[in-house]
């Protein structure tokens, strides 16, 4: 394979983490749904432990940190990257010089009192992958320097106090982002240890709750210590427990915590190592011993940086302006934060059946934002870290074994009814199609079919894998009669048995069924299953109204709704009829024929993409909403209209206009790395347009050089002559030295090692890719067998 020339490998090549800006996506901006909702703190790739600052009031930002705030509520140990609703934020640590003379927990309010919410400025902050630092109360003479770093399951903090007699660290077991129903702490002065237990949940008002444990060891003996329960402080106390009924109301949260004080007259530095576990305190202690045995902060931060450089170094980009390189590696960083490692260092984890299990030699993952990540993040992980991606699939299969059903949007060890569809199917099929197929394929197909053929309800009854499956099987669509949300498309999330967003869910089921068909044919040798489900994949057609030429809800009688409002008529989820009409990624040719023809479809795409994103919360607009998942496939559809130069232009516009490394630099919720993965693919000039198939639509690379280093030892070299912000168009292309005129390729062809050479310019080459022979595959009804997925 071709290697990069020395001139293209400056010293920065060894440390791509230096280009990452963790503050990107931490402030609402012009995008949708309040921006990225990311967090800036210290974490390892796919880490269980994510030690990050939480700002006050921060309720405006589910990542826990809002760049507009200037006070901190603490440094909590767990976060959810880019979700639209708050969760985790467990065990905030608060360093303080305040005298602890009464309980720091205010009556009827979450968190700690104002005295324990120190101020900070962004000038005093520093963040890089695996490290976060800030100066607290910088305008006061008694300022505190706080620094954080992390391993997969542990973290370390270094607090540098002003000289004095009152340097304390408070551990708030009742400080989770959502109300706690249990907060418990224990103090062990002889061991210089504080342990805690917290129980929380209710992400977006969903039912699952989780329990998490911490063991925190300090490097110094305590000068004083104590505990609090609600508004009662016990100096010298060694245990405190508070319980509340599970609630979504912050004022009903359990309140308990502990503090340790130190004499900082001579030695100003206090260090703490914290281990996390979802199994037990003993598990947290074992994780601490396994991953963080010493108090050498610099060594720990250096190890975290090394891990991130290895992870980010799987893609090397050169030959672009510094701003674009920073945006690229920041997006890649965010794409590698989730899902969460969920098992302890010894392999133990709590299963969805409530029992403790052993993951064996594999990693058990949790937090699957399935509705989001099936579109491009799982494909990116399968390419770059196929072992991790295979473990993600194994984890989902284990979840199905323990709960009865494949997950949709699970967190910790609980199933939730978040969003719609059955996204585990395209996740599994896409992982296999992009090389992460090292899992039990027969078991995978069995689990997929269990949820697709009959109503699959979890053992506790709180989760239904496919809502409205009976009517869907009978009619080929989910009828509008059953939709609980006809007038307001975004008022609730799903409940077991309730059909929410009937038209959106129908389109999702068609994609899910298509994914099952492809997996059955390619990886399970089940041609009969393929034939059954490729027919079901055409169910989107049943909602295509030939009068309006749009996807619309339909009653069980077969009638479409009269005078339906395509922007505000309901039956869709975080979008409208105009936007969802394009969400047929597996059969663009069939969609274009239904619309009229490729020429008509091209004109409508042109109109739709005049505006790339609708603005904050804009789910009702006749233009694209590229800050949200249902429209992420749209700019690439021109490759199927024989106008690939329009894909090149639209994607380049989106990459340059919608993303940057400012706090407001994300066009929508990052959703555990989905938007970030979209940017990574867009900047590379490739995109996995068809869920469940290893097909890559071709755009135009943003950088002159990019190298993907694969686990097999092979490399994919992308060489783009003339690449720049002003040159989005492909003038010509070669594949391994041979002229290439198709606006698509396959991962199977690239995985063998490949060299893609583009020649880019400022004006479109309308002939490139404009032929019937160059069209990418479209998977409509009547095809008796899946096409060859390995064609170049």
């Amino acid at each position: 394979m071709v290697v990069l020339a020395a001139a293209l490998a400056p010293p920065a090549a060894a440390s791509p983490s230096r280009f990452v800006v963790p503050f990107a996506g931490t402030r609402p901006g012009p995008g949708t749904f309040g921006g990225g909702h990311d967090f800036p703190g210290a974490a390892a790739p796919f880490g269980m432990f994510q030690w990050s600052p939480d700002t006050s009031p921060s309720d405006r930002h589910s990542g826990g940190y809002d760049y507009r705030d200037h006070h901190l509520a603490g440094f909590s140990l767990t976060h959810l990257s880019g979700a639209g609703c708050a969760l985790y934020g467990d065990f905030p640590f608060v360093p303080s010089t305040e005298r602890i003379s009464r309980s720091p927990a205010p009556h009827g309010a979450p968190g700690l009192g104002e005295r324990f919410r120190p101020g900070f400025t962004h000038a005093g902050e520093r963040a890089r992958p695996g490290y976060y630092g800030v100066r607290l109360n910088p305008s006061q003479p008694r300022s505190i320097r706080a620094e954080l770093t992390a391993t997969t399951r542990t973290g370390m903090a270094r607090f540098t106090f002003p000289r004095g007699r009152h340097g304390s660290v408070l551990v708030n077991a009742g400080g989770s982002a959502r109300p706690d129903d249990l907060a418990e702490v224990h103090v062990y002065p002889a061991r210089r240890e504080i342990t805690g237990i917290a129980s929380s949940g209710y992400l977006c008002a969903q039912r699952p709750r989780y329990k998490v444990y911490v063991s925190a060891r300090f490097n110094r003996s305590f000068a004083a210590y104590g505990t609090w329960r609600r508004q009662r402080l016990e100096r010298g106390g060694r245990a405190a427990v508070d319980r509340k009924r599970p609630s979504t109301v912050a004022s009903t949260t359990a309140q308990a915590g502990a503090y340790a004080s130190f004499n900082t007259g001579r030695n100003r530095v206090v260090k703490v190592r914290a281990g996390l576990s979802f199994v037990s305190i003993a598990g947290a202690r074992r994780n601490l011993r396994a991953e963080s045995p010493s108090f050498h902060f610099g060594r720990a931060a250096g190890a975290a940086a090394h891990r991130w450089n290895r992870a980010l170094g799987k893609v090397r980009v050169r030959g672009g302006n510094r701003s674009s390189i920073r945006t690229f590696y920041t997006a890649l960083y965010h794409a590698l934060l989730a899902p969460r490692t969920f098992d302890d260092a010894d392999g133990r984890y709590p299963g969805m059946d409530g029992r403790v299990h052993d993951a064996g030699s594999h990693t058990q993952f949790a937090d699957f934002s399935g509705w989001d990540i099936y579109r491009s993040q799982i494909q990116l992980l399968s390419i770059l870290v196929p072992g991790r991606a295979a473990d993600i699939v194994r984890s989902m299969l284990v979840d199905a074994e323990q709960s009865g059903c494949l997950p949709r949007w699970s967190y910790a060890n609980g199933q939730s009814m978040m969003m719609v569809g059955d996204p585990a199917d395209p996740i599994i099929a896409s992982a296999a199609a992009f090389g992460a197929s090292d899992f039990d394929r027969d078991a995978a197909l069995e689990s997929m079919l269990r949820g697709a053929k009959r109503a699959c309800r979890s053992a506790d009854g709180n989760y239904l894998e496919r809502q409205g499956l009976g009517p869907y099987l009978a009619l080929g669509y989910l009828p509008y009669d059953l939709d609980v949300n006809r007038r307001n498309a975004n008022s609730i999330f799903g409940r077991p048995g309730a059909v929410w967003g009937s038209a959106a869910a129908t389109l999702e089921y068609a994609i899910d069924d298509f994914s099952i068909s492809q997996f059955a044919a390619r990886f399970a040798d089940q041609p009969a299953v393929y034939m059954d489900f490729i027919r079901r994949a055409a169910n989107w057609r049943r909602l295509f109204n030939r009068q309006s030429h749009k996807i619309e809800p339909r009653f069980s009688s077969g009638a479409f709704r009269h005078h339906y409002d395509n922007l505000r008529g309901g039956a869709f989820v975080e979008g409208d009829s105009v936007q969802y009409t394009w969400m047929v990624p597996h059969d663009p040719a069939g969609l274009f024929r239904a619309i009229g023809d490729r020429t008509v479809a091209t004109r409508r795409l042109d109109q739709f993409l005049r505006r790339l994103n609708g603005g904050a919360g804009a789910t009702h607009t006749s233009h694209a909403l590229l800050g949200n998942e249902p429209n992420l496939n749209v700019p690439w559809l021109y490759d199927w209209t024989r106008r690939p130069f329009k894909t090149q232009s639209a994607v380049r516009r989106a990459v340059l206009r919608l993303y940057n490394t400012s706090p407001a630099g994300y066009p929508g919720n990052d959703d555990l790395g989905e938007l970030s993965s979209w940017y990574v693919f867009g900047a590379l000039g490739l995109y996995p347009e068809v869920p469940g198939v290893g097909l890559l639509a071709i755009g135009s690379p943003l950088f002159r050089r990019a190298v993907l280093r694969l686990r097999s030892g092979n490399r994919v070299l992308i060489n783009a002559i003339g690449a720049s912000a002003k040159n989005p168009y492909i003038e010509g292309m070669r594949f391994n030295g041979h002229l290439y005129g198709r606006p698509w390729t396959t991962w199977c062809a690239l995985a063998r090692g490949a060299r893609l050479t583009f020649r880019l310019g400022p004006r479109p080459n309308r002939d490139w890719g404009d032929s019937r022979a160059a069209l990418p595959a479209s998977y409509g009804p009547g095809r008796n067998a899946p096409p060859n997925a390995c064609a170049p």
Side-chain angles (χ1 to χ4, degrees), residues 126-481:
R126 297 291 183 272
R128 58 182 181 268
Y131 172 87
Y132 173 86
V134 64
R135 186 168 295 281
L136 304 177
N137 295 324
S139 62
Q140 301 178 17
R142 299 177 64 79
S143 65
I144 303 168
R145 180 67 179 170
E147 299 172 277
L148 313 173
T149 190
T151 71
T152 299
R153 300 173 179 87
T154 75
M156 189 185 307
R158 179 168 64 189
F159 302 122
T160 304
F161 290 92
R163 297 197 185 279
R165 305 173 67 180
H166 301 291
S168 302
V169 178
L170 295 82
V171 182
N172 184 9
S176 303
R178 303 296 300 152
D180 292 284
D181 60 275
L182 169 65
E184 180 176 345
V185 290
H186 294 270
V187 182
Y188 302 94
R191 297 205 296 244
R192 300 177 298 190
E193 180 187 30
I194 294 175
T195 65
I197 307 173
S199 175
S200 186
Y202 281 142
L203 172 68
C204 293
Q206 295 295 294
R207 290 177 179 272
R209 302 192 68 76
Y210 63 89
K211 188 176 288 187
V212 63
Y213 305 81
V214 67
S215 167
R217 294 288 184 95
F218 294 82
N219 70 325
R220 298 173 54 182
S221 298
F222 304 161
Y225 57 87
T227 60
W228 71 85
R229 178 181 181 273
R230 300 183 189 177
Q231 283 66 62
R232 179 183 176 184
L233 178 73
E234 185 177 355
R235 293 191 183 90
R238 298 195 178 193
V241 182
D242 191 23
R243 289 184 170 85
K244 290 280 189 177
R245 288 181 177 272
S247 173
T248 59
V249 181
S251 61
T252 64
T253 188
Q255 294 178 308
Y259 68 92
S261 299
F262 306 88
N263 187 330
T264 56
R266 292 186 177 180
N267 184 357
R268 300 168 55 204
V269 177
V270 174
K271 300 177 186 177
V272 56
R273 297 181 293 119
L276 204 63
S277 171
F278 286 87
V279 176
S280 64
I281 294 294
R285 288 169 173 159
R286 284 192 292 269
N287 289 340
L288 201 54
R289 288 194 297 270
E291 296 187 7
S292 187
S294 79
F295 282 99
H296 198 301
F297 185 88
R299 187 177 301 154
H306 177 70
R307 289 193 63 184
W308 274 111
N309 281 320
R310 287 186 59 188
L312 297 169
K314 294 181 182 298
V315 185
R316 304 282 188 176
V317 297
R318 300 287 183 276
N321 63 55
R322 189 174 183 86
S323 175
S324 294
I325 291 175
R326 285 159 65 92
T327 304
F328 180 86
Y329 280 113
T330 297
L332 183 57
Y333 165 77
H334 281 138
L336 298 176
L337 283 172
R340 178 187 309 276
T341 296
F342 198 59
D343 62 333
D344 287 346
D346 62 3
R348 288 160 55 89
Y349 69 94
M352 286 194 170
D353 55 4
R355 301 175 181 176
V356 175
H357 298 267
D358 188 343
S361 60
H362 306 298
T363 300
Q364 180 70 18
F365 287 103
D367 304 345
F368 301 125
S369 55
W371 184 82
D372 309 286
I373 66 169
Y374 84 77
R375 302 167 201 266
S376 62
Q377 197 228 13
I378 188 63
Q379 292 89 336
L380 183 65
L381 298 186
S382 299
I383 291 170
L384 300 182
V385 283
R388 295 274 195 179
D391 277 355
I392 288 170
V393 173
R394 290 191 191 97
S395 299
M396 300 180 82
L397 297 179
V398 166
D399 291 344
E401 180 181 343
Q402 294 166 359
S403 71
C405 309
L406 285 167
R408 177 190 305 171
W409 212 121
S410 59
Y411 59 88
N413 59 323
Q415 298 274 30
S416 98
M417 294 298 300
M418 195 91 71
M419 308 311 293
V420 295
D422 193 7
D425 300 328
I427 288 174
I428 293 169
S430 294
F434 281 87
S437 58
D438 186 16
F439 55 85
D440 189 332
R441 302 173 193 179
D442 291 335
L445 183 60
E446 180 182 351
S447 294
M448 295 160 88
L449 294 177
R450 182 166 61 244
K453 287 191 168 184
R454 58 185 180 275
C456 185
R457 187 179 287 269
S458 62
D460 62 8
N462 292 328
Y463 172 71
L464 185 64
E465 187 173 340
R466 291 203 189 195
Q467 294 152 296
L469 181 61
Y472 175 77
L473 294 178
L475 299 172
Y477 61 94
L478 288 168
Y480 196 38
D481 321 44

Side-chain angles (χ1 to χ4, degrees), residues 42 47 221 223 235 283-284 405 439 468 474 480 553 565 577 588 628 646 703 783:
S221 298
R235 293 191 183 90
C405 309
F439 55 85
Y480 196 38
D565 185 339
S577 165
N628 202 29
K646 291 178 177 285
F703 306 102
R783 191 183 294 274

Side-chain angles (χ1 to χ4, degrees), residues 696-779:
L696 289 158
I698 292 177
S700 61
L702 183 61
F703 306 102
R704 289 194 293 274
R705 298 286 192 278
V707 179
L708 281 66
R709 302 183 177 188
L710 310 183
R711 184 176 64 174
S712 62
N714 294 330
R715 297 184 181 188
V716 177
L717 173 62
I718 301 172
N719 178 13
I721 301 166
S724 75
K726 296 181 179 180
N727 289 346
Y729 296 109
I730 297 175
E731 295 178 345
M733 180 181 171
R734 289 180 179 270
F735 190 112
N736 288 339
H738 301 288
L739 286 175
Y740 194 80
R742 296 176 178 176
W744 61 279
T745 184
T746 65
W747 176 244
C748 189
L750 299 184
R752 298 190 286 257
R755 184 175 72 257
L756 307 181
T757 304
F758 296 81
R759 189 176 69 256
L760 304 183
R763 290 177 293 276
N765 177 355
R766 296 173 181 268
D767 293 330
W768 190 85
D770 181 12
S771 71
R772 183 179 297 275
L775 283 172
S778 199
Y779 302 83

Side-chain angles (χ1 to χ4, degrees), residues 564-610:
Y564 177 74
D565 185 339
N566 292 99
L567 298 182
R568 293 176 175 80
F572 293 92
V573 174
E574 295 187 357
D576 57 41
S577 165
V578 178
Q579 294 159 355
Y580 266 87
T581 291
W582 300 108
M583 205 185 81
V584 188
H586 55 291
D587 191 10
L591 176 63
F592 300 158
R593 284 193 296 271
I595 288 173
D597 55 32
R598 284 195 297 268
T599 301
V600 174
T602 299
R603 285 200 300 265
R604 280 183 54 175
L605 282 170
D606 292 344
Q607 174 66 32
F608 187 68
L609 288 166
R610 283 183 181 177

Side-chain angles (χ1 to χ4, degrees), residues 514-538:
F514 171 76
S515 299
I516 292 174
S517 77
Q518 301 304 298
F519 186 82
R522 301 181 196 278
F523 299 101
D525 192 24
Q526 294 286 337
V529 173
Y530 167 79
M531 291 299 296
D532 184 15
F533 280 84
I534 196 66
R535 284 191 290 265
R536 286 172 52 165

Side-chain angles (χ1 to χ4, degrees), residues 100-117:
I100 305 176
S101 57
R102 61 182 185 273
S103 170
H107 178 72
L112 302 183
E114 290 186 6
R115 292 192 307 129
F116 299 97
R117 297 181 184 181

